[in-house]
Amino acid sequence: MQLHNFNSGPSILPKEVLDQAANAIHNFNDTGLSILEIGHRTTHFVAVVEEAKTIVKRLMNIGDDYEVLFLQGGATMQFMQVPMNLLDENGLAAICDNGVWGNKAVKEARIFGPVQVVADTSADKHTHLIKDLKLPANTSYLHITTNNTVEGTQWHSYPQLGVPLVGDMSSDIFCRPTPFHQFDLIYAGAQKNMGAAGVTMVVVKKSMLGKISRKIPAILDYQKHIEAGSLLNTPPVFAIYVSLLTLRWIEKEGGLAEMEKRNLAKANLLYNTIDASEHFYCPIKKEDRSIMNAVFFLKDETKEARFLEICKQNGMIGVKGYRTVGGIRVSMYNAMPHDSVKAFCELMNDFS
Ligand SMILES: *Cc1c(COP(=O)(O)O)cnc(C)c1O
């Protein structure tokens, strides 16, 4: 049976990326050694990091005022590392709480300085975004989650309010052409749309750093990582390599414009199927729906278990909603083939 991998993260990668990664485990770049057994300071691996950074900057269309870092600790570590580097008692972090991940960012930032939640959609179960934001005068930066992986909302344009903008792009990085230059710091765990678990990409505008007085441990200090070229300590060598392979794949396939074309076609097909259905509904406000993660429900929730069972029988993997949200979640990252979404929609129609 053909499997359709709708996992929310770690999630589907292009088949050729998996093949290349598998080959590199046995023989990396004809060195006769595995990618798992070469030193991170060898010319071979330094070239991997440099090429990955170059492709990221090209895809983001950003210049040397930004630095690209490959760090560990997941996006979750960025919930604390961002405020540790950018926030102190003299400033204020304005944060949008549009779901599970934004909420964690709020809690962690409070450890380091004043925080104001400038949008909280919890009363509406996070089924929309609040885009008309009022920021306090002393805001140091505004933090948004560009795609709410769990709840199924996505920012389709970004707030430009004259303060530095920080974006958690873990689940929609490189899904389409994006005005990355509107952000002063972007972070993304690689395991959703750009690689394997174990590495987090951080892209930071250098002018953001060095403005607070706190002493920062070297391993958590962006400035120290910049000085060391992402090689402050042993980086996650294999995970960075898988990101490089995925970045190459994105460019080879036609770049972000092509990713958007494919992603929109998949998302439109799925949302149109849901909206036309008598048995399924999507509570997310149309203009805020995510093209990466569609969250929807059965009108008769007593039929949900039966639908999930049928999904399982038909090779549809990872479509059960997040534990606190319930319902169905279909994740359609860059590597997801159109045919898989089509097969899922046909199953929904058959079920109806
Ligand atoms: C998955 C996810 C996270 C958490 O990532 P970890 O790598 O598990 O720390 C944070 N933010 C968003 C938007 C996510 O999708």
Side-chain angles (χ1 to χ4, degrees):
M1 176 175 54
Q2 191 195 338
L3 298 180
H4 304 279
N5 181 2
F6 295 102
N7 279 330
S8 57
S11 33
I12 188 167
L13 286 169
K15 167 91 171 48
E16 64 187 78
V17 166
L18 299 180
D19 289 342
Q20 290 163 355
N23 288 338
I25 285 186
H26 293 293
N27 181 3
F28 171 61
N29 273 5
D30 287 327
T31 53
L33 295 172
S34 166
I35 179 82
L36 303 180
E37 53 184 12
I38 60 162
H40 58 290
R41 296 186 197 281
T42 57
T43 50
H44 295 290
F45 187 69
V46 171
V48 167
V49 174
E50 289 309 315
E51 186 186 344
K53 284 185 191 174
T54 302
I55 299 180
V56 166
K57 282 190 167 178
R58 202 154 56 215
L59 289 172
M60 290 194 167
N61 201 10
I62 53 171
D64 290 336
D65 43 339
Y66 288 87
E67 281 286 346
V68 180
L69 299 172
F70 296 103
L71 307 180
Q72 301 185 60
T76 301
M77 196 165 89
Q78 295 311 309
F79 297 155
M80 60 76 62
Q81 196 171 358
V82 168
M84 185 181 233
N85 281 262
L86 305 186
L87 179 66
D88 64 13
E89 291 303 326
N90 303 317
L92 181 143
I95 306 186
C96 293
D97 179 352
N98 298 123
V100 167
W101 300 119
N103 189 264
K104 292 194 188 211
V106 169
K107 289 189 177 131
E108 294 291 289
R110 286 204 170 115
I111 298 170
F112 298 95
V115 171
Q116 185 153 327
V117 176
V118 291
D120 177 352
T121 43
S122 56
D124 302 316
K125 292 188 173 171
H126 303 299
T127 49
H128 64 103
L129 297 172
I130 296 169
K131 282 158 280 183
D132 178 24
L133 305 174
K134 302 268 179 302
L135 304 187
N138 59 332
T139 298
S140 310
Y141 63 87
L142 169 66
H143 178 288
I144 64 170
T145 310
T146 56
N147 183 70
N148 290 287
T149 327
V150 169
E151 295 79 8
T153 58
Q154 184 176 26
W155 289 81
H156 297 296
S157 65
Y158 305 108
Q160 295 292 286
L161 297 170
V163 301
L165 184 60
V166 174
D168 175 359
M169 294 198 184
S170 294
S171 52
D172 68 348
I173 188 80
F174 300 139
C175 76
R176 60 186 171 188
T178 304
F180 293 102
H181 65 274
Q182 292 178 354
F183 290 82
D184 299 80
L185 191 148
I186 292 163
Y187 60 91
Q191 70 271 22
K192 279 145 192 163
N193 214 18
M194 66 170 278
V199 64
T200 310
M201 182 177 71
V202 175
V203 178
V204 59
K205 207 172 201 173
K206 284 181 267 189
S207 58
M208 289 293 285
L209 304 176
K211 290 186 176 165
I212 56 156
S213 55
R214 170 180 305 112
K215 283 199 172 123
I216 304 173
I219 193 68
L220 293 171
D221 188 339
Y222 294 131
Q223 192 64 52
K224 292 279 188 316
H225 282 281
I226 291 173
E227 285 162 17
S230 267
L231 299 172
L232 184 66
N233 68 326
T234 313
V237 168
F238 185 62
I240 294 174
Y241 184 63
V242 177
S243 288
L244 170 62
L245 296 174
T246 310
L247 291 163
R248 280 183 187 157
W249 176 84
I250 292 172
E251 285 203 316
K252 189 186 69 98
E253 294 295 303
L256 301 186
E258 176 64 22
M259 294 299 125
E260 176 174 53
K261 201 173 122 204
R262 295 179 188 182
N263 290 331
L264 278 177
K266 289 179 282 182
N268 285 336
L269 174 62
L270 179 58
Y271 284 118
N272 288 340
T273 306
I274 298 166
D275 290 342
S277 160
E278 277 173 49
H279 297 94
F280 296 87
Y281 75 100
C282 173
I284 309 295
K285 195 174 174 188
K286 280 193 179 165
E287 65 185 46
D288 296 331
R289 288 178 177 179
S290 167
I291 63 169
M292 294 278 96
N293 313 93
V295 173
F296 56 101
F297 297 85
L298 280 109
K299 287 181 184 164
D300 175 358
E301 63 180 50
T302 64
K303 299 210 165 85
E304 184 180 299
R306 176 83 185 116
F307 179 66
L308 288 171
E309 180 57 32
I310 288 176
C311 286
K312 203 167 159 188
Q313 286 164 7
N314 285 274
M316 306 289 168
I317 312 284
V319 297
K320 188 171 163 54
Y322 191 79
R323 55 200 146 83
T324 56
V325 176
I328 315 294
R329 171 171 55 170
V330 168
S331 298
M332 304 167 280
Y333 299 116
N334 285 348
M336 168 64 55
H338 190 90
D339 282 349
S340 288
V341 177
K342 197 164 153 237
F344 183 83
C345 290
E346 280 162 9
L347 192 68
M348 281 172 73
N349 287 333
D350 287 352
F351 182 78
S352 291

